[in-house]
Amino acid sequence: MPAGPGSRPEDGSAPQSATAARRAGAEAVVPAAREAAESGAQPGIGAGGASSGVPGPGAAEVEQGGVEPPCAGAGGGNSGVPGPGVAEIVARAVARAMDEDVAAPRRGAAVTEVPLHLPFRAASTVPLPERAPAAAPRPARPAAGRRVPRGDDRLREHRGPVLPGWVGVAVGGLALAGCTAVLWRAGILPAPLLSAFGAAPRAYQGLRAVHWPPLAFLGIVALVALGGLGRARTGHAWVLTLFGRYRGTVRRTGLTWVSPLLLRRRVDVRLRHWRSDPMPAVDSGGLALQVVVQVVWQVKDTARATLAVADHTRYLAEQVESAMARVLSQLPADAFHEDAPTLRDAEAVGDALTRMLATETEAVGIEVFSAQPIRIEYAAEVAEAMRRRRVAAIDAKHRDAVLTSVVDAVDDTVHRLTSRGLVELDDYERKALVKDLTVAFYTGRTD
């Protein structure tokens, strides 16, 4: 029999065995109590045991569980007082006793504290090292391979400091007039010159200290005003720099005034075209070619064209050769025996070359309108062999066209003769007729 809830183990067995025994007793008590409640019988509840042989909780344990014991008469029957059923009372008491037995250590049994982290290594309580703070995300690296050059965003064309030329002329004239007045007051100007302008001559007094400051100031003003005058031509622009720093671009024409402290660089902004010399290249089959390209272009951003590259015209020429090599290497020069895209399609090749060249030269302020190969020839070492191959391909294509037309004519002739009932031919006669007609038609076409 399982031990009652009030019994204590006297041997040195582990607390786990007692707990297992009580669990078994609880599992046996609860069904029996429920059956008794359903059949109308009440299990006896004594001070230390059970009248039916089934162990149950004592009265003290029932009181500790907060459950009032049921009223039992002399005959062991129910008293009819409303309240919880017997099965529920017994189940609660047994569960309460099991919780107390598991929580409290038993007398006479050795209790050993087992560290929590030993049976549960995954949930170890050992403090883990703190993680290092997440590093800032690294900028994405550009994809490997050829990259299109990008210009400096801070280097863009803008209007430079410029004034109309008449302003410089007026200021310079006034400054010279002031210098003349100072010299006249000092009596330095000659009498014939003064007589020509109707001015009275003054006695020579020499340059005193009071004359030098205004004379020096007016002289500097005259030099700056007249030294900044310049003639700007149509189709050209001035790129202005001050101690190596870009200060602006002047696109005005005619007489203009620009500070003489600024360094001027003339740039041609007209629409220009450039025709290359025969340049070497190869097609997709590795055959050597000689190509001549014509490029129509214009300087769009004078600041980048002047300061972003050493020589923008040389840069354009080198980029033309590079772009041409990449475009021509994607297609064969000729497709002799098949209908496929070739380098003979000047429109498609020119469009591809223009797009690629415009992308490459945008960083230096050059706008490309057209890049067209005007001549594509085989190199001298392969020209004769490729000429013979082209002639053979043309002859084969011509023969194929002639043979196709002859076969169509023979088929039409035989079909008309037989369909109209003019002749009746068996297989042998039909073959002979087809042979004779083919020879006759082919000979007539070749002649």
Side-chain angles (χ1 to χ4, degrees), residues 55-370:
E61 296 178 353
V62 173
E63 292 178 358
Q64 293 177 1
V67 180
E68 297 181 359
C71 298
N78 294 333
S79 61
V81 180
V86 177
E88 295 181 4
I89 295 174
V90 174
R92 293 177 184 177
V94 171
R96 180 74 175 182
M98 291 174 59
D99 295 341
E100 292 179 356
D101 290 342
V102 172
R106 302 180 181 276
R107 292 178 296 178
V111 179
T112 303
E113 182 179 358
V114 180
L116 183 62
H117 66 277
L118 291 181
F120 306 98
R121 293 187 179 275
S124 175
T125 58
V126 178
L128 299 177
E130 297 182 359
R131 295 183 179 179
R138 296 181 179 178
R141 294 183 178 179
R146 187 180 61 85
R147 295 184 296 172
V148 177
R150 296 182 57 186
D152 189 358
D153 294 336
R154 298 171 298 179
L155 190 61
R156 292 186 179 276
E157 179 183 334
H158 59 82
R159 183 180 178 183
V162 61
L163 292 175
W166 63 266
V167 175
V169 173
V171 173
L174 292 176
L176 290 179
C179 291
T180 304
V182 172
L183 295 176
W184 173 74
R185 289 181 63 86
I188 299 178
L189 295 179
L193 181 62
L194 295 177
S195 301
F197 286 95
R202 293 175 65 91
Y204 177 74
Q205 300 176 0
L207 292 175
R208 300 178 181 178
V210 295
H211 297 150
W212 286 109
L215 191 61
F217 174 74
L218 293 175
I220 293 174
V221 172
L223 290 177
V224 172
L226 299 179
L229 294 177
R231 182 174 60 91
R233 294 184 296 176
T234 303
H236 293 78
W238 282 338
V239 177
L240 308 179
T241 57
L242 179 62
F243 304 114
R245 182 179 180 184
Y246 174 67
R247 302 301 297 173
T249 299
V250 177
R251 288 181 177 263
R252 297 185 59 168
T253 58
L255 185 63
T256 59
W257 181 87
V258 179
S259 174
L261 299 178
L262 299 176
L263 179 62
R264 310 175 193 181
R265 297 184 183 181
R266 190 181 299 274
V267 181
D268 191 348
V269 294
R270 295 174 295 182
L271 187 66
R272 305 162 68 180
H273 72 278
W274 175 75
R275 178 169 178 162
S276 69
D277 296 330
M279 295 182 294
V282 294
D283 65 352
S284 61
L287 296 176
L289 304 175
Q290 292 289 331
V291 185
V292 177
V293 182
Q294 181 173 345
V295 183
V296 180
W297 61 283
Q298 185 181 21
V299 173
K300 182 179 180 181
D301 193 323
T302 56
R304 290 188 173 183
T306 306
L307 304 177
V309 66
D311 186 356
H312 60 276
T313 56
R314 183 177 179 182
Y315 177 84
L316 175 64
E318 293 176 354
Q319 288 299 323
V320 167
E321 186 174 359
S322 174
M324 182 197 63
R326 292 198 300 269
V327 171
L328 298 186
S329 62
Q330 298 176 2
L331 295 174
D334 291 293
F336 300 107
H337 303 289
E338 59 183 2
D339 294 333
T342 63
L343 297 179
R344 304 303 174 183
D345 188 357
E347 188 71 20
V349 175
D351 291 344
L353 184 59
T354 302
R355 288 194 301 269
M356 185 174 295
L357 192 59
T359 304
E360 296 288 342
T361 58
E362 183 181 2
V364 296
I366 296 178
E367 184 177 5
V368 177
F369 298 97
S370 173

